[in-house]
Amino acid sequence: MEKPKILIVDDDPDLRRALKIRLRANHYDTVQASDGYSAISVAQKEKPNLIILDLGLPAGDGYVVLERLQDSDVLSGIPVIVLTARDPQSNEQKTLQAGAAAFFQKPADNNELLDVIRATLPKAWPGVTLPS
Amino acid sequence: MNNGHTNVLLIEDNPGDADLVRLRLVEGDSAVNISCVNRLADGLASMARETPSVVLLDLNLPDSHGSDTFRKVLEKAPGVPIVILSGQDDEVLAMKAMHQGVQDYLVKGDITSHHLERVMRYAIERQALIRTLEMSRKQQLEFKNQFLSHVSHELRTPLTCIHQFVTILLDGLAGDINPDQRYHLGTVLNSVHQLRAMIRDLLEATRAESGKIRIEPRCITIGDLVQQAISMMAATAKEKQVGLEVGLDSRIPFVYADPDRVLQVLINLIDNAIKFTPPEGSVLVKACIVEADPDMVYLSVSDTGRGIGPEAKTLIFERLYQDPNSIDSSRAGLGLGLFIAKELVELHSGRIWVASEVGNGSTFSFTLPLYSLPKLLFPVITYQGRLREAVVLVKVELTPLPAVSRSTWKEICQQSLETLRRCVYVDKDLVLPVVGNVGVSETFLVAASTDVERAEIMMKRIREQLEAGAGFRAAGLMKVSSHAVPLPSREEGSLEVQVQRTANRITEMAMLTENEKPLPQSANGDESAPTN
């Protein structure tokens, strides 16, 4: 059975590794990107079902990535969850406006993050089989 | 100083004295332009037209006397150097003037031209220096705030990593762990939570200092909030073997406050109380109404700790204050908690204070305003001493889609409420305070001074604006409806009584349309609602 695939975009390799362990344990497949530019190319190649996106990134920050995803016919349907150390007061509305489905400030609660991933997936990908 | 000239404004009503000063100024070496007026009002008007380099001020004028004269000038033109030319040698008055910001005080008889020239020059220089200092102080504050906000952001990144890997280990995602290891990792996780709270406080204190904290008052049940705080702190109290008790006055009306912020203050005070109470001691949280102050609720947190000395009592709400005799100085914290608590309480127009005796424990108390619908409604539904023609209750219900995080939904509701406030007329309509904590679905009510037909226009605007609003379309569903409010006859009692009755009607209607979250009865002057 095909598992839902999540693209993790973060410039911190340790955090990418941690998220990978956490998501795989919850029966998701993961792919990774470490900057804004490769986020788009990996998304095009891998067609993930969901993207977890940091805001402070080299080679095009999170806002640039959101904009480029929205502009793309192929990628605009992929839900994006923003996970950032930045201040929600000045970033939460901005990212939602730019097309993100949800916003979390680091460090985020694991359960809430997983719940939102579960709830976000079927809306955009009705065919996806959710992990139990 | 324009064109190298010193522009002197002389405010002096005695023609002889004015001539003498003019003569002294002309005798001097430097280039001066002198304009002379004989009344304070004319002087203030002249300063409003053009800022002089320096003001020479007589205190006893036809339209002002004594210290009032320089106070008014300081008020109108705060940055302008003032030199007082007085007829009398009054040292007390002179000192008072200096303390309030006047640059110099000369006695008319003693003035020589050389002296006057120098006094003016120094006054101008000193004033410029003060201005420079003031600016660099502001820049420093701004720099410090930017620095702190940058630091708190940078600290979050490694903290996130620690948090992630500790929870990975604790959840067994990297293999089984034994009870000892679990206990140690639990300690790490606790420290992560503490560190996270400190980072939050750091940013919060920075915001408080630069006036950037915003509060969103709602209509809340204070008892529920106290219970919530108690259950959140129960584990900490138990660990330290400190009893945690509650004393709630059962008849407290609804309170008008921001629930998140009140919880923050309560948690802070309870946490402190536990920290300073030895094992086997106890902490008591109380909420009550005080007869002498019927518009406020009184909350207090008492402990059986060592108490606070008189000198600490005045300093304890200051930023960065640390109790030098703390029992548990290894985890003293940043010393920002009470400072933030004070800022938050004062943003609600409440007060916070401490009563304590060394050896006899401490009681921290604070007040919050009670909710009063008639008070909020009065300026909106009355006009020129009469009740308005028609009032409509517009209801906006928002329901989130499942894929929305709680914090995102909260932010969207907040944004929608602000949008809603922009959709109404400021002095004819009132967006009623929201009831309770942010729940799954949110209902906003608007009392609008209009009839049902014209309310349609407002509802159309509300729908359009909310739909255009940030992130709403993807996050929730909206329902907007209107209901005419039956008004009491204008002959029925005083205007206050009519407003009170209208408020009761609105309360009933809100209850009928929304059973699980009834709008509260108002806090004061409760009269029984008219029967239907």
Side-chain angles (χ1 to χ4, degrees):
Chain A
M1 196 163 41
E2 188 104 339
K3 290 178 189 168
K5 193 192 285 176
I6 297 178
L7 167 58
I8 303 164
V9 187
D10 202 299
D11 58 341
D12 181 349
D14 295 331
L15 187 68
R16 287 203 305 272
R17 188 159 53 88
L19 282 174
K20 178 177 153 185
I21 296 171
R22 174 71 55 189
L23 291 170
R24 296 227 160 161
N26 284 275
H27 312 291
Y28 294 104
D29 259 345
T30 59
V31 285
Q32 304 184 9
S34 58
D35 61 68
Y37 178 79
S38 57
I40 299 295
S41 59
V42 174
Q44 277 164 345
K45 189 165 143 253
E46 299 280 347
K47 304 279 183 309
N49 303 101
L50 186 139
I51 299 172
I52 294 179
L53 179 66
D54 188 16
L55 287 183
L57 291 170
D61 75 357
Y63 285 102
V64 175
V65 175
L66 276 169
E67 199 179 317
R68 296 204 40 202
L69 289 171
Q70 291 292 309
D71 286 347
S72 155
D73 293 338
V74 196
L75 305 177
S76 64
I78 306 175
V80 179
I81 293 175
V82 170
L83 178 62
T84 177
R86 288 192 194 168
D87 181 16
Q89 202 160 318
S90 39
N91 290 287
E92 178 152 10
Q93 273 307 313
K94 256 166 70 187
T95 53
L96 296 179
Q97 237 156 353
F103 178 99
F104 285 92
Q105 189 181 27
K106 291 175 184 172
D109 184 88
N110 288 319
N111 290 328
E112 200 187 353
L113 181 62
L114 287 168
D115 285 351
V116 168
I117 291 173
R118 276 176 68 86
T120 308
L121 273 172
K123 201 176 57 169
W125 302 88
V128 164
T129 325
L130 278 184
S132 50
Chain B
M1 260 174 279
N2 298 329
N3 329 320
H5 280 66
T6 308
N7 293 315
V8 180
L9 175 62
L10 175 62
I11 308 178
E12 167 68 82
D13 65 327
N14 181 323
D17 288 349
D19 281 345
L20 193 67
V21 172
R22 239 191 231 119
L23 186 66
R24 293 279 178 266
L25 285 174
V26 175
E27 276 171 6
D29 303 325
S30 55
V32 285
N33 295 328
I34 311 158
S35 49
C36 182
V37 295
N38 51 21
R39 296 168 60 87
L40 179 64
D42 299 338
L44 295 178
S46 159
M47 275 186 272
R49 277 194 306 277
E50 195 190 356
T51 312
S53 316
V54 60
V55 176
L56 300 182
L57 183 66
D58 181 21
L59 291 185
N60 290 323
L61 298 165
D63 56 344
S64 178
H65 293 279
S67 60
D68 266 358
T69 310
F70 63 76
R71 212 169 34 234
K72 282 176 197 154
V73 178
L74 282 165
E75 217 175 84
K76 262 277 156 56
V80 178
I82 301 169
V83 175
I84 289 172
L85 302 181
S86 175
Q88 70 225 82
D89 190 353
D90 182 341
E91 190 55 24
V92 177
L93 184 63
M95 281 319 285
K96 192 173 162 191
M98 295 304 116
H99 284 151
Q100 296 195 14
V102 167
Q103 285 296 348
D104 217 330
Y105 185 104
L106 303 182
V107 180
K108 281 175 192 168
D110 305 345
I111 303 171
T112 66
S113 69
H114 188 61
H115 182 210
L116 182 59
E117 197 189 328
R118 194 161 57 187
V119 162
M120 281 185 352
R121 201 165 61 233
Y122 292 170
I124 292 168
E125 280 306 311
R126 276 196 302 269
Q127 195 77 41
L129 200 62
I130 289 171
R131 201 159 42 229
T132 314
L133 283 174
E134 187 75 11
M135 285 220 320
S136 79
R137 199 188 63 86
K138 267 191 197 145
Q139 275 168 355
Q140 268 174 15
L141 190 69
E142 183 57 28
F143 174 75
K144 191 184 70 187
N145 287 349
Q146 271 176 15
F147 174 73
L148 282 176
S149 116
H150 177 74
V151 164
S152 64
H153 169 248
E154 288 305 312
L155 291 175
R156 276 177 190 279
T157 305
L159 184 66
T160 304
C161 242
I162 301 171
H163 175 251
Q164 277 300 330
F165 283 104
V166 170
T167 54
I168 281 171
L169 293 174
L170 272 171
D171 292 348
L173 302 185
D176 291 340
I177 51 171
N178 66 36
D180 265 357
Q181 290 166 339
R182 176 169 301 280
Y183 178 73
H184 298 327
L185 286 169
T187 310
V188 179
L189 191 60
N190 271 342
S191 297
V192 167
H193 290 318
Q194 275 180 20
L195 205 50
R196 184 165 63 172
M198 284 184 198
I199 294 173
R200 196 200 48 222
D201 280 359
L202 203 59
L203 202 61
E204 194 89 316
T206 314
R207 285 208 188 106
E209 201 183 40
S210 47
K212 281 184 191 150
I213 291 188
R214 48 173 201 188
I215 57 163
E216 193 53 54
R218 304 162 71 99
C219 215
I220 56 173
T221 319
I222 202 71
D224 292 353
L225 220 50
V226 170
Q227 293 292 2
Q228 198 182 336
I230 294 285
S231 63
M232 285 169 77
M233 296 310 293
T236 315
K238 197 174 162 203
E239 199 177 318
K240 195 152 174 224
Q241 291 173 293
V242 168
L244 195 50
E245 290 149 34
V246 198
L248 286 176
D249 189 336
S250 59
R251 301 189 323 136
I252 300 173
F254 278 83
V255 169
Y256 187 52
D258 184 327
D260 290 347
R261 299 311 199 171
V262 175
L263 192 63
Q264 196 179 338
V265 175
L266 280 169
I267 294 281
N268 185 297
L269 295 181
I270 297 171
D271 192 38
N272 266 347
I274 295 172
K275 200 188 285 176
F276 291 104
T277 301
E280 312 300 324
S282 67
V283 171
L284 171 64
V285 185
K286 275 188 357 188
C288 63
I289 297 291
V290 173
E291 251 173 61
D293 191 4
D295 293 335
M296 308 296 269
V297 64
Y298 279 65
L299 291 126
S300 65
V301 177
S302 316
D303 62 55
T304 55
R306 285 172 300 112
I308 301 161
E311 69 287 357
K313 260 194 273 185
T314 55
L315 292 172
I316 203 158
F317 294 104
E318 297 285 318
R319 188 186 165 116
L320 302 184
Y321 179 80
Q322 300 273 12
D323 183 347
N325 310 313
S326 168
I327 307 172
D328 191 3
S329 59
S330 65
R331 290 289 168 94
L334 296 178
L336 293 173
L338 285 174
F339 168 74
I340 295 170
K342 172 168 162 277
E343 295 290 317
L344 290 176
V345 168
E346 285 176 356
L347 275 174
H348 285 90
S349 337
R351 293 185 301 123
I352 187 166
W353 69 96
V354 59
S356 181
E357 242 175 82
V358 176
N360 262 334
S362 318
T363 299
F364 284 84
S365 306
F366 65 103
T367 62
L368 293 170
L370 294 178
Y371 170 74
S372 161
L373 185 57
K375 218 190 307 180
L376 291 172
L377 272 180
F378 196 92
V380 176
I381 64 164
T382 66
Y383 182 66
Q384 298 187 336
R386 301 169 61 136
L387 211 54
R388 288 192 191 264
E389 300 291 334
V391 175
V392 166
L393 190 64
V394 174
K395 213 174 118 188
V396 181
E397 291 161 279
L398 306 180
T399 315
L401 296 173
V404 178
S405 75
R406 211 164 21 127
S407 63
T408 301
W409 178 245
K410 210 163 155 181
E411 183 67 24
I412 286 174
C413 287
Q414 179 55 42
Q415 201 73 23
S416 302
L417 187 59
E418 274 161 32
T419 308
L420 189 62
R421 290 204 179 111
R422 287 196 299 271
C423 288
V424 305
Y425 296 156
V426 178
D427 37 359
K428 284 182 79 182
D429 308 326
L430 174 73
V431 178
L432 301 189
V434 190
V435 180
N437 290 319
V438 181
V440 179
S441 61
E442 186 77 293
T443 303
F444 300 131
L445 295 163
V446 184
S449 303
T450 183
D451 54 30
V452 177
E453 283 88 70
R454 274 184 296 170
E456 286 296 327
I457 303 170
M458 179 198 275
M459 287 160 66
K460 184 161 175 278
R461 187 166 55 232
I462 290 172
R463 275 192 210 101
E464 284 170 3
Q465 299 268 322
L466 284 186
E467 260 166 24
F472 184 78
R473 232 167 323 165
L477 301 171
M478 171 194 348
K479 199 177 131 201
V480 186
S481 58
S482 70
H483 315 263
V485 180
L487 296 182
S489 124
R490 284 181 176 162
E491 281 70 50
E492 237 174 280
S494 67
L495 186 61
E496 280 72 23
V497 170
Q498 291 169 23
V499 171
Q500 175 75 52
R501 292 211 171 131
T502 313
N504 289 345
R505 279 291 166 86
I506 289 176
T507 305
E508 280 169 44
M509 290 170 63
M511 275 198 274
L512 285 177
T513 48
E514 199 201 359
N515 288 325
E516 70 282 11
K517 284 194 290 180
L519 195 76
Q521 291 290 327
S522 59
N524 35 5
D526 249 353
E527 62 156 16
S528 58
T531 45
N532 287 6

